[in-house]
C-alpha cells in the first residue's frame, strides 16, 4: 500500500474520519483535510484548507500529490439552489486542484439516498420506489447530488482518473461535532431519559416505526470506499452502500433502548419530534457531563435533533438494494443492531456518554 496516497476531504466528519482511520490501518499514506480542527488519529496526517478557496486547496493538493481522493463532506444552505452552488463549487475546486497534479487515479464521491428521496425542500414528496436501485432515473427535482455527479464525470474525462459514487443511507458511527449523526443523538437522548425519567419514545412517524428500513455503518462504508477505489470492476460506477440487512424500528428501538440502559416507551402512534421536546437538553446535559466528567459538556456539539427527526419522520419506506455491489465483488455485511451497540460502547469508552447515569 506504500504507493497509495489518500487525500480524505472532510476528515473530521462521520464518513471522513472512519474512512481515514480505515485507510491508515490498511497501510495507506493518509492526509485528512478539514477547514479547522485537526483529526487526532494514528497514521493520519492533518492538512488545513478551505475548499471554497481554490488557492487553499491547490496548496494541499500539490503537497500531497494524492493517488486517491475520498470526498466526504458537504455544506448545508437554506435552499437547494444555494446547496447546488456551494457544494458544486467546493467539489470543482478540489477536483481541479487534485487533478492538476497528474497523480490522481481514482475519486470516491460520497452522496446519499437523497438521490432517490429528493432534497430537503422537496424531501420524499415524489420519491423513487424502494428498494432503491442505482439504475433508477434521477428525480425531477434540483439536487446538489446530481450536480456533483456531473462535475465529477466532467473532471474525470478531463484529467483521466476513475471514479465511483457511493450512496449510503443514514450513517451510524463514531465522530463528534457532526450535523448528521443519528447514533450519537440517540445516545444523548437515551442518557437524558435515564437521568430525568422522561419516556424514551420513538420520535418518528408510523411509517418508519412499522415499515422496512436500513442503515449504513460508517466502518462498512469506509471498507466500501477503499474497495471501490482499488477494484477495476467498481471503476466508473455508482453504488448504494448499506449494511445488507433490513429492520423495523419497532424492534430496533428496543435494541437501542437496551444498549443505553433505558426502557423503550410504548409508541404513541404519531411523531413526537426531538426538536422542541429537548429544549432543556443543554442544561441537563451540562449537569450530567460535569458530574460524570465527560469530554463534551455542550450538547449542541453532539446532537442533531433536526436531522434525526428528518430521518425518523419520513412518511415513506426507505431501503436500498445492494445487488450491484455484490455482483462487483463487495460481499461485506454488517449486523445493524451491532452498529448501534458498538457505537454506544465506544461512546462510553471515549467518555462521551457515561457508563452509568444516576437519576438526580
Amino acid at each position: 500500500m506504500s504507493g497509495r496516497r489518500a487525500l480524505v476531504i472532510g476528515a473530521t466528519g462521520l464518513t471522513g474520519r472512519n474512512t481515514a482511520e480505515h485507510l491508515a490501518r490498511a497501510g495507506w499514506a493518509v492526509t485528512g483535510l478539514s477547514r479547522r480542527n485537526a483529526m487526532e488519529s494514528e497514521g493520519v496526517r492533518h492538512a488545513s484548507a478551505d475548499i471554497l478557496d481554490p488557492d487553499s486547496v491547490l496548496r494541499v493538493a500539490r503537497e500531497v500529490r494524492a493517488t486517491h481522493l475520498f470526498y466526504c463532506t458537504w455544506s448545508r444552505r437554506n435552499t437547494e439552489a444555494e446547496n447546488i452552488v456551494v457544494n458544486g463549487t467546493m467539489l470543482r475546486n478540489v477536483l481541479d486542484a487534485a487533478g492538476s497534479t497528474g497523480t490522481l487515479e481514482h475519486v470516491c464521491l460520497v452522496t446519499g439516498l437523497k438521490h432517490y428521496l429528493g432534497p430537503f425542500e422537496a424531501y420524499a414528496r415524489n420519491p423513487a420506489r424502494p428498494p432503491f436501485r442505482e439504475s433508477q432515473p434521477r428525480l425531477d427535482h434540483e439536487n446538489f447530488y446530481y450536480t456533483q455527479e456531473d462535475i465529477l464525470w466532467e473532471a474525470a474525462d478531463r484529467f483521466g482518473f476513475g471514479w465511483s459514487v457511493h450512496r449510503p443511507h443514514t450513517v451510524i458511527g463514531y465522530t463528534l461535532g457532526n450535523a448528521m449523526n443519528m447514533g450519537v443523538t440517540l445516545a444523548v437522548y437515551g442518557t437524558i431519559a435515564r437521568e430525568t425519567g422522561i419516556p424514551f419514545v420513538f420520535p418518528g412517524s408510523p411509517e418508519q416505526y412499522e415499515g422496512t428500513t436500513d442503515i449504513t455503518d460508517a466502518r462498512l462504508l469506509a471498507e466500501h470506499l477503499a474497495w471501490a477505489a482499488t477494484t477495476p470492476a467498481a471503476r466508473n460506477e455508482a453504488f448504494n452502500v448499506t449494511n445488507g440487512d433490513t429492520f423495523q424500528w419497532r424492534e430496533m428501538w428496543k435494541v437501542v433502548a437496551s444498549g443505553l440502559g433505558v426502557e423503550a416507551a410504548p409508541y404513541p402512534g404519531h411523531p413526537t419530534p426531538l426538536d422542541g421536546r429537548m429544549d432543556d437538553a443543554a442544561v441537563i446535559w451540562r449537569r450530567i457531563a460535569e458530574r460524570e466528567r465527560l469530554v463534551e459538556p455542550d450538547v449542541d456539539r453532539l446532537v442533531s435533533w433536526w436531522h434525526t427527526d428528518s430521518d425518523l419522520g419520513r412518511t415513506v419506506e426507505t431501503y436500498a438494494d445492494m445487488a450491484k455491489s455484490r455482483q462487483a465483488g463487495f460481499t461485506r455485511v454488517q449486523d445493524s443492531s451491532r452498529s448501534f451497540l458498538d457505537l454506544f460502547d465506544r461512546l462510553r469508552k471515549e467518555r462521551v456518554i457515561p457508563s452509568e447515569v444516576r437519576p438526580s
Side-chain angles (χ1 to χ4, degrees), residues 54 90 118 164 170 232 247 273 306 313 316-317:
M90 291 194 306
S164 54
T170 300
F247 61 89
W306 68 270
V316 296
E317 285 189 309

Side-chain angles (χ1 to χ4, degrees), residues 30 91 111 248 314 317 339 343:
V30 183
L91 179 60
T111 61
Q248 294 177 319
R314 299 183 188 123
E317 285 189 309
S339 294
L343 171 62

Side-chain angles (χ1 to χ4, degrees), residues 246-259:
T246 59
F247 61 89
Q248 294 177 319
W249 272 109
R250 66 177 299 124
E251 298 302 325
M252 185 63 77
W253 196 246
K254 300 173 187 175
V255 174
V256 170
S258 176

